[in-house]
Amino acid sequence: MDALRQVYHDHPRTVLFSSAAALRILLAVTFPGLSDLLTGRVEISTPVNSFKRLQEGLFLYERGLDPYDGGIFHQAPLLLPLFSLLPSSLTWVGRFASILLYTGLDLLTADCLYQIAESGAAHTSRLFSSPRKDRTWKPISVAAVYLFNPFTLLTCLGRPTTVFTTFFTVLSVSHACQAQAVTAAFALAIASYTSLHPVLLLPPVGMLCYDRLCVQIAGDSDGLASDGHPPDKALDSKIATDQRKQPTSLSFSIQIVATFATATAFLLGLSRLLLPSWQFLPSVYMTPLTMPDLTPNPGLWWYFFIEMFDAFREFFLGVFWLHMLSYSVPFCLRFQKQPLAAVVLMMGVVAVFEPYANVGDAGAWLSCLALLSHVFEVSSAHRYTFPALATLLYAALLGPAFHHLWIYAGSGNANFFYAITLVWSLALLILLTDAVYSVLRDEWEAERPEGKGREVRQI
Amino acid sequence: MKLSPLLALPLSLLPFILATPAPSGTYTEHLALRPLPSGALYAGFTFTATTPLPAYRAQHFRLFPRSLAQILQHAHTEELHLRFALGRWDDESWGPRPRGGNREGGAGVEIWAWVEGGGDGVVEERWSELVNSLSGLFCASLNFIDGTRTTRPVLTFEPEGTHHRRHRQSESEGEGGLVLMHGTLPHEVVCTENLTPFLKLLPCKGNAGISTLLDGHRLFDANWQTLSIDVRPICTPAPDGSGEEEDCEMEIQQTVDLVLDIERSTRPREDPIPRPRPIEEIECDTSKAYHGQDTCYPRPRAGEMGWSLAAIFGAAVRGNCHLSGGGDGDTRDVSLHLASPRPVQVLLNNENENENAATNPPSPPPAPLNANSSSSSPSTLQQHLYTLPSPPGQTFDLRLPPTTSPPTPENENAHPPLYATRHITGSGQEHGAMHATLRNPHPHAQRIVYFEALPWYLRGFMHTLVLSYTEGNDHEKEEGREKEGGRVLPVEKMFYLPAIDRQRGSQLELQFVVPARGAVALTYQFDKAVLRYTEYPPDANRGFDVAGAVIRVLTPSSAFSSSFAPQPHSSSTTNSGSNNSGSNNNLTTTPQAQHDYYLRTPPLLLPLPTPDFSMPYNVIILTSTVIALGFGSLFNLIVRRFVLVEEVPVSPLLGSLRGLGGRVRGRFGGVVGARFGGKGSGGGGGEGEDGGGDGRGGDDGGDGVVREAVGVGGGSMAAGRGPELDGDGDGDG
């Protein structure tokens, strides 16, 4: 026991990652039917990320047909050659290989989260340093929250392709925290290529990258170790003095947007080489926009557009998308001092409001919230975090039950499942609002230390 | 001005009249009757009309229906097959299908046609014109055959007509190439309104000849029936062998195949409701152990039921429809196939001239027949041929008295080439699987084509398609082994076109070999889509119909050619004009196509998950509320800034309002406070108790009133209870 503790003390990451991988593999081996069962669940698999549909696309692709000339497969083309390397997932070996691949992805994601947490970008930025930064969780805890999150665990076994999106998004954020603009933009381009909505993260990620770049330059010029923890005062003074050395925000944004656009164009061109036609473009990217496939999912869109009057369908599609778009820029403006918070909160907006919502995205966002762990104190003291978490648990447990009542037992109707998805979205929204509140409150208290713990109003 | 076309018409027709020989087209009709086991009767009507191709092109029609021909010419359709079908052919007890399944359709409406193509979208447009016009002509919902229900099978259908130089180009779909289009409407209910236009296409319009038997009440009471219309061009090569084709004709063949339940059809018209017969009429089976004074186990019928055309179809055949002119004596209008010798009475004009067919033949001798039938059918099968009487108005009836001897047992050859069943498996409305079982009863392998056209809301996963083979012919064995998982069978050819939501259905064609005396199970999984609420039919919870699979048996050996397939009169008639399907096959581009056996599985019912149809407003409101809540609270936090409570500045308007409120409160508060305050301080506890007592009294009184009202309202029924309840109320008070 002591030896174990010693090992954990010395190599916490190794122990954590190997135990997480062992848990996943153990689950897949002990319950061989579990992964296929989870693949069939509507909460995990949606029309744009289902592993089963990927297999169907693969089947058509391997026979030389255009997999996008049909209504089943809507996933990114470059996944096809990747998965055609794996053995067929109908066999035991194939299933195991796919589980291994997804486990590896999860570990890489956790490693990226570890690095983000280590960089301290959450509580310290160019213009701001949180008064609560000593309350930040250890990076290993953030990674553990991701790896042992039950939603992430189930998603890993259900193998939807949004795990790739999550990984590349987090990878992009992690590169942005290291001020590597090109790789960050490239990773974000891959994430947007696999599913559309990470495009919305481009402004906050760009801002984060710019912020870290400024910090790094300031740190270097000050002769300090650029470990991401420069003393505040030195930083402040440096910013005041070394304004000239920093890249202008305009040229930086042009650079990052250009990289993003080039990378996207490169990926799309590569896809075109694999496929006989450009038909994959509407199939992959128009599907989340127009939502032709109304399979239930835990989001807000599906039942709304089942019940929508035909004349207003296009109008409300536009309204819903504009609504999602409307968060990106205001978040950037308001969270200028805390760009990582902007990224994390924007991920939350996407996870709640995306058309084909799934538990995997919500779980990944909940784990990323641990990056903002220094402000949890505020939200738990002043807001509705406990009721929201309880509601989340309630919805997570009742959701499958109500779905069963509707689809299998026939003793409930669609409203049962719809109601539970509403509750789920509401709980996520409350959590999101709480996070926004605490981040803003923390920022305000940095200016006004005397306001700590006192009642405030918003005007 | 009006005269010129009138004058031009005969002039334009002149060349054709000169060019074509005198009989411009032929017409034959035929009725084949065959009693089937278990008290059923098969009746197959065939009406064949032809017209020379030049006359057809010039819209000069005599026997060919003009309305249909004009539609076909307008839509550039060279060959048309249209089917209206109901019910299920019972392979197990009735044996092989009539005409080798070539004149059979899937339940509902099925249509396929070879349409002349001509560039992008032209074929689709012509096809749409065709189905819309036919929809009007036949009073059927054919106009619902849109892009989602149209497929283009590759392996399943071959043209029956002669399309020299053209039909093989269908794949390239180039200029002038013929394109096969196929559509089904499994939900369509075929009924009388489809029969009436069908009869109107006939030259005698159902007023004379065998078509007088086609009464909607009897026809649609059948266990299984198909109305079919087949239009095709036929060319006979020139006799001198120069290779040039001449003597081309357009042929329309209309068939009605039905299987009637003799007992149900012969029920008296004045008493159509099936009632239990009086006990005296029932013959009891005394051999049963439980037979007693008061119990009777009905004895199964020993022989076959007696029937007559008039009893089954409601009326005898009236007149005849011999229009071709010449060779009248050779046409056989009615043929009767009997498995065992049985007396047959022919009744002409209601005179009871009892004539046994074997001994005293009616006007045309029915003799020649065993010689014909022996080649294609078992030797025990007896065939009788009759010609309808010439004088118009005379009726013709066949009567078969009941027999007492048991029917001859089925012989081995009665097996159809293939047995096929198809089901949807799985529970719930989310996932499912298709499971088709094809059983080969014969000791040789058979190559088949399996064709399915699936609606887009059934999302098949072809990567889960498995063909597993199990040996053995027994049902139990087969099912037992399927669970163990049989050998996986290779697919020789596969054509698959996946569906696109709301645009195109999926199409699956498989070619594979069913091994001898074995069963092949074809399975694949699918997902059931959730539709928009406006896309559900009014009876949404009934489910959606999925068309049955079409199975084409490619290489049957000659032993299995159905006894129905060759038209009985085709070999006996010498009239060169009456081109029947049997004699023309050798001239088509693919000679073996006609001999292929087709069978169709019954349609399936696919239940889809349904939303709550009463909820659109509620859903819009609730979802919008949640979104607005999120949007509102997020932007509320984002656009406003924090201040301490003490620092909240007082807005001038709010301040003045507050001042006003304070003043009002000050003025009125003083007065009210004086009044109530004084009383409160004086009364104290006593007042509170009083109030409580009052309240209770009031409650009781109210109760009493209500109860009384109930008693009164209930009238005499509640009168007994009223006083008692009142009493209760009083007591409490």
Side-chain angles (χ1 to χ4, degrees):
Chain A
M1 201 62 208
D2 279 345
L4 213 64
R5 196 170 296 149
Q6 184 64 36
V7 169
Y8 178 70
H9 198 74
D10 293 345
H11 313 282
R13 270 168 78 179
T14 321
V15 172
L16 175 73
F17 284 12
S18 48
S19 60
L23 177 64
R24 281 159 168 75
I25 291 162
L26 199 68
L27 276 177
V29 170
T30 24
F31 307 104
L34 182 67
S35 55
D36 284 341
L37 174 80
L38 289 172
T39 301
R41 293 301 308 177
V42 289
E43 293 89 348
I44 293 170
S45 293
T46 65
V48 292
N49 69 4
S50 158
F51 187 67
K52 197 170 180 185
R53 289 173 186 250
L54 177 71
Q55 296 300 313
E56 179 71 8
L58 210 56
F59 175 83
L60 297 175
Y61 171 73
E62 284 173 350
R63 275 150 193 80
L65 300 171
D66 187 356
Y68 296 97
D69 185 22
I72 287 185
F73 182 62
H74 303 294
Q75 297 165 40
L78 286 180
L79 294 172
L80 292 172
L82 173 67
F83 276 91
S84 62
L85 296 176
L86 296 181
S88 161
S89 81
L90 293 175
T91 62
W92 187 86
V93 180
R95 195 181 307 132
F96 192 70
S98 61
I99 295 277
L100 278 184
L101 174 71
Y102 276 84
T103 305
L105 274 178
D106 263 8
L107 294 185
L108 287 173
T109 313
D111 190 50
C112 292
L113 281 174
Y114 185 91
Q115 287 169 12
I116 297 169
E118 209 173 29
S119 73
H123 52 78
T124 313
S125 72
R126 175 171 57 112
L127 304 170
F128 169 78
S129 175
S130 167
R132 291 186 175 81
K133 69 179 167 191
D134 49 334
R135 297 188 144 270
T136 312
W137 292 2
K138 278 194 287 186
I140 193 77
S141 317
V142 175
V145 163
Y146 179 80
L147 286 174
F148 293 106
N149 184 336
F151 295 136
T152 319
L153 207 60
L154 294 179
T155 309
C156 174
L157 294 177
R159 297 161 292 171
T161 48
T162 33
V163 173
F164 285 89
T165 313
T166 310
F167 166 63
F168 283 110
T169 310
V170 175
L171 182 71
S172 159
V173 175
S174 124
H175 279 292
C177 285
Q178 290 150 16
Q180 293 162 346
V182 174
T183 45
F186 193 76
L188 196 65
I190 297 175
S192 315
Y193 165 80
T194 49
S195 54
L196 187 62
H197 52 259
V199 179
L200 298 177
L201 293 176
L202 183 62
V205 166
M207 196 173 70
L208 174 69
C209 196
Y210 177 67
D211 186 89
R212 298 301 295 178
L213 194 65
C214 295
V215 168
Q216 213 169 43
I217 291 168
D220 287 345
S221 63
D222 205 36
L224 290 166
S226 62
D227 58 352
H229 298 278
D232 295 342
K233 283 195 175 166
L235 180 66
D236 286 346
S237 61
K238 277 298 137 192
I239 287 160
T241 51
D242 288 350
Q243 204 71 262
R244 290 169 286 106
K245 286 192 178 177
Q246 291 171 9
T248 62
S249 56
L250 184 68
S251 66
F252 181 80
S253 56
I254 287 172
Q255 180 202 349
I256 201 158
V257 167
T259 317
F260 182 81
T262 318
T264 311
F266 167 71
L267 290 170
L268 293 180
L270 202 62
S271 312
R272 174 69 182 85
L273 289 181
L274 290 172
L275 294 169
S277 73
W278 285 107
Q279 210 164 359
F280 72 93
L281 278 180
S283 178
V284 176
Y285 301 110
M286 283 308 281
T287 303
L289 289 177
T290 56
M291 204 155 181
D293 191 333
L294 294 164
T295 308
N297 60 55
L300 290 167
W301 291 48
W302 65 277
Y303 206 53
F304 191 82
F305 287 102
I306 284 178
E307 299 275 2
M308 179 48 65
F309 308 106
D310 282 339
F312 293 103
R313 192 175 303 277
E314 282 76 22
F315 170 73
F316 274 101
L317 279 172
V319 168
F320 272 44
W321 268 104
L322 277 182
H323 168 247
M324 260 178 84
L325 281 177
S326 74
Y327 290 100
S328 191
V329 174
F331 272 26
C332 286
L333 295 176
R334 190 68 173 88
F335 298 104
Q336 219 167 358
K337 293 181 180 172
Q338 308 185 58
L340 186 67
V343 175
V344 172
L345 295 172
M346 197 60 215
M347 281 174 73
V349 168
V350 168
V352 180
F353 291 120
E354 70 180 325
Y356 291 108
N358 55 74
V359 165
D361 281 358
W365 172 62
L366 289 176
S367 310
C368 287
L369 265 187
L371 292 172
L372 305 178
S373 47
H374 59 287
V375 297
F376 281 178
E377 171 201 28
V378 183
S379 63
S380 60
H382 295 275
R383 301 290 292 191
Y384 321 102
T385 307
F386 176 72
L389 285 174
T391 317
L392 212 57
L393 192 66
Y394 162 84
L397 293 178
L398 273 189
F402 280 3
H403 186 260
H404 179 85
L405 286 187
W406 171 31
I407 296 289
Y408 292 97
S411 53
N413 65 5
N415 296 342
F416 280 55
F417 188 65
Y418 165 64
I420 216 70
T421 59
L422 269 190
V423 171
W424 168 264
S425 303
L426 197 63
L428 286 180
L429 268 178
I430 291 173
L431 276 184
L432 180 65
T433 321
D434 285 2
V436 170
Y437 173 85
S438 7
V439 169
L440 288 175
R441 176 79 187 259
D442 185 57
E443 190 180 310
W444 177 71
E445 282 177 9
E447 297 166 13
R448 302 277 306 268
E450 77 274 14
K452 201 168 181 177
R454 292 169 70 180
E455 208 176 329
V456 295
R457 285 281 157 79
Q458 282 192 304
I459 56 165
Chain B
M1 218 166 111
K2 280 185 182 172
L3 279 179
S4 57
L6 287 179
L7 287 172
L9 191 64
L11 282 177
S12 65
L13 289 178
L14 201 59
F16 300 114
I17 292 166
L18 292 176
T20 52
S24 65
T26 56
Y27 175 74
T28 54
E29 59 180 29
H30 181 82
L31 168 64
L33 294 165
R34 176 186 161 96
L36 295 170
S38 67
L41 172 72
Y42 162 76
F45 297 78
T46 312
F47 310 95
T48 313
T50 59
T51 189
L53 202 57
Y56 172 82
R57 299 247 182 267
Q59 305 210 352
H60 174 50
F61 306 107
R62 183 167 159 253
L63 300 168
F64 200 95
R66 170 182 292 271
S67 52
L68 186 61
Q70 287 181 335
I71 289 174
L72 295 183
Q73 290 184 1
H74 183 67
H76 295 82
T77 304
E78 293 289 313
E79 182 172 333
L80 171 77
H81 303 270
L82 181 61
R83 306 277 186 269
F84 299 93
L86 268 182
R88 186 179 76 90
W89 177 266
D90 187 359
D91 286 299
E92 302 279 347
S93 55
W94 297 344
R97 285 154 200 258
R99 308 170 204 270
N102 280 298
R103 291 289 177 268
E104 188 192 326
V109 180
E110 185 173 349
I111 178 173
W112 67 100
W114 275 265
V115 184
E116 202 175 308
D120 279 343
V122 175
V123 176
E124 285 79 4
E125 202 178 304
R126 287 175 176 170
W127 170 248
S128 163
E129 275 173 13
L130 177 71
V131 292
N132 278 293
S133 317
L134 290 177
S135 164
L137 187 63
F138 289 103
C139 299
S141 314
L142 282 164
N143 52 329
F144 285 112
I145 296 185
D146 52 4
T148 62
R149 294 174 194 274
T150 303
T151 51
R152 299 180 183 189
V154 182
L155 300 172
T156 312
F157 299 103
E158 293 284 346
E160 289 180 10
T162 321
H163 305 288
H164 45 283
R165 82 184 156 75
R166 283 202 293 199
H167 89 272
R168 274 292 94 188
Q169 301 166 13
S170 58
E171 281 121 28
S172 64
E173 207 183 303
E175 186 72 33
L178 291 181
V179 183
L180 169 63
M181 311 288 273
H182 178 266
T184 48
L185 281 179
H187 189 45
E188 181 78 2
V189 180
V190 181
C191 202
T192 318
E193 76 264 22
N194 306 121
L195 177 66
T196 312
F198 182 88
L199 290 178
K200 281 197 176 154
L201 298 182
L202 299 173
C204 295
K205 316 273 183 210
N207 293 323
I210 57 170
S211 58
T212 52
L213 294 179
L214 292 172
D215 172 30
H217 292 97
R218 304 300 173 129
L219 189 59
F220 296 109
D221 189 35
N223 285 355
W224 174 87
Q225 66 90 5
T226 305
L227 306 178
S228 82
I229 293 175
D230 296 84
V231 182
R232 55 177 182 160
I234 294 167
C235 293
T236 39
D240 55 1
S242 61
E244 284 178 23
E245 301 198 54
E246 58 176 18
D247 198 14
C248 282
E249 289 179 315
M250 277 307 261
E251 182 199 83
I252 175 167
Q253 189 174 55
Q254 290 175 261
T255 65
V256 181
D257 287 342
L258 61 158
V259 174
L260 288 157
D261 188 328
I262 295 177
E263 189 172 353
R264 196 168 67 225
S265 304
T266 51
R267 215 173 274 150
R269 188 164 275 195
E270 57 271 16
D271 184 21
I273 303 166
R275 297 174 209 276
R277 282 182 293 163
I279 192 76
E280 302 82 45
E281 290 181 18
I282 299 176
E283 206 180 333
C284 296
D285 190 351
T286 51
S287 65
K288 298 282 177 190
Y290 38 78
H291 174 75
Q293 196 63 34
D294 51 349
T295 50
C296 177
Y297 186 83
R299 185 195 294 277
R301 185 185 304 281
E304 290 180 63
M305 287 188 70
W307 53 272
S308 69
L309 284 181
I312 283 187
F313 289 101
V317 182
R318 198 169 63 247
N320 67 20
C321 193
H322 296 162
L323 298 174
S324 286
D328 255 8
D330 288 338
T331 52
R332 305 276 191 267
D333 297 301
V334 179
S335 65
L336 175 64
H337 306 253
L338 293 174
S340 51
R342 208 179 149 177
V344 181
Q345 298 168 353
V346 177
L347 293 94
L348 293 172
N349 225 357
N350 288 335
E351 298 167 11
N352 277 342
E353 18 175 329
N354 280 359
E355 288 173 310
N356 195 323
T359 56
N360 192 3
S363 37
L369 329 165
N370 283 341
N372 284 340
S373 52
S374 60
S375 61
S376 63
S377 48
S379 56
T380 54
L381 195 95
Q382 291 209 337
Q383 190 170 350
H384 305 271
L385 294 183
Y386 305 95
T387 300
L388 292 179
S390 312
Q394 197 176 18
T395 59
F396 169 88
D397 195 3
L398 285 177
R399 179 180 292 168
L400 281 84
T403 60
T404 48
S405 58
T408 50
E410 283 294 306
N411 46 6
E412 262 301 297
N413 281 340
H415 275 307
L418 200 73
Y419 292 104
T421 55
R422 186 163 163 252
H423 323 272
I424 286 177
T425 60
S427 69
Q429 299 173 330
E430 191 181 10
H431 309 295
M434 195 69 85
H435 184 275
T437 311
L438 311 170
R439 192 158 57 85
N440 182 0
H442 297 290
H444 55 89
Q446 296 191 86
R447 177 171 285 110
I448 66 153
V449 174
Y450 177 91
F451 167 69
E452 274 185 343
L454 300 169
W456 64 265
Y457 36 81
L458 190 153
R459 300 201 171 98
F461 290 106
M462 286 307 130
H463 72 276
T464 58
L465 180 89
V466 177
L467 279 181
S468 56
Y469 161 64
T470 46
E471 272 182 56
N473 233 343
D474 266 351
H475 272 297
E476 297 79 31
K477 246 197 273 175
E478 164 200 325
E479 276 161 19
R481 287 195 192 173
E482 257 171 44
K483 275 165 199 149
E484 296 163 23
R487 194 150 58 79
V488 173
L489 207 68
V491 180
E492 290 182 350
K493 283 183 190 170
M494 176 171 179
F495 284 89
Y496 175 60
L497 190 67
I500 300 179
D501 288 2
R502 297 177 184 84
Q503 287 174 35
R504 186 175 81 191
S506 59
Q507 169 189 343
L508 173 67
E509 275 183 300
L510 297 169
Q511 181 180 319
F512 54 90
V513 173
V514 183
R517 291 206 180 279
V520 171
L522 185 156
T523 55
Y524 60 89
Q525 299 171 12
F526 60 82
D527 272 3
K528 301 172 187 177
V530 185
L531 310 183
R532 297 169 181 163
Y533 90 114
T534 47
E535 288 168 339
Y536 287 91
D539 53 348
N541 286 301
R542 174 183 168 270
F544 289 71
D545 293 271
V546 177
V550 181
I551 298 161
R552 175 184 180 189
V553 183
L554 278 176
T555 51
S557 84
S558 59
F560 307 112
S561 68
S562 147
S563 53
F564 297 103
Q567 294 299 319
H569 60 302
S570 65
S571 46
S572 63
T573 50
T574 51
N575 190 348
S576 62
S578 70
N579 284 311
N580 301 301
S581 52
S583 61
N584 281 314
N585 295 334
N586 301 334
L587 310 175
T588 56
T589 43
T590 49
Q592 84 282 4
Q594 189 66 31
H595 294 302
D596 287 346
Y597 184 86
Y598 281 88
L599 70 159
R600 287 165 166 84
T601 61
L604 299 172
L605 200 57
L606 171 78
L608 293 185
T610 50
D612 185 342
F613 295 102
S614 61
M615 287 270 289
Y617 288 103
N618 302 4
V619 169
I620 292 169
I621 290 166
L622 288 171
T623 306
S624 305
T625 307
V626 169
I627 290 180
L629 198 73
F631 184 83
S633 47
L634 283 177
F635 275 87
N636 198 11
L637 286 168
I638 285 176
V639 300
R640 293 159 77 170
R641 64 187 167 86
F642 288 109
V643 289
L644 287 174
V645 176
E646 303 90 88
E647 297 167 353
V648 175
V650 180
S651 75
L653 184 65
L654 197 67
S656 63
L657 272 178
R658 247 183 222 161
L660 192 70
R663 253 178 294 155
V664 170
R665 209 181 302 144
R667 185 164 299 172
F668 284 91
V671 176
V672 173
R675 189 179 289 171
F676 284 99
K679 214 179 175 182
S681 64
E687 201 186 310
E689 267 194 27
D690 270 3
D694 276 353
R696 240 184 292 151
D699 276 354
D700 280 352
D703 259 6
V705 169
V706 169
R707 283 168 187 176
E708 216 168 75
V710 167
V712 171
S716 60
M717 199 177 71
R721 268 190 303 160
E724 198 184 314
L725 293 171
D726 275 354
D728 270 354
D730 286 349
D732 279 348

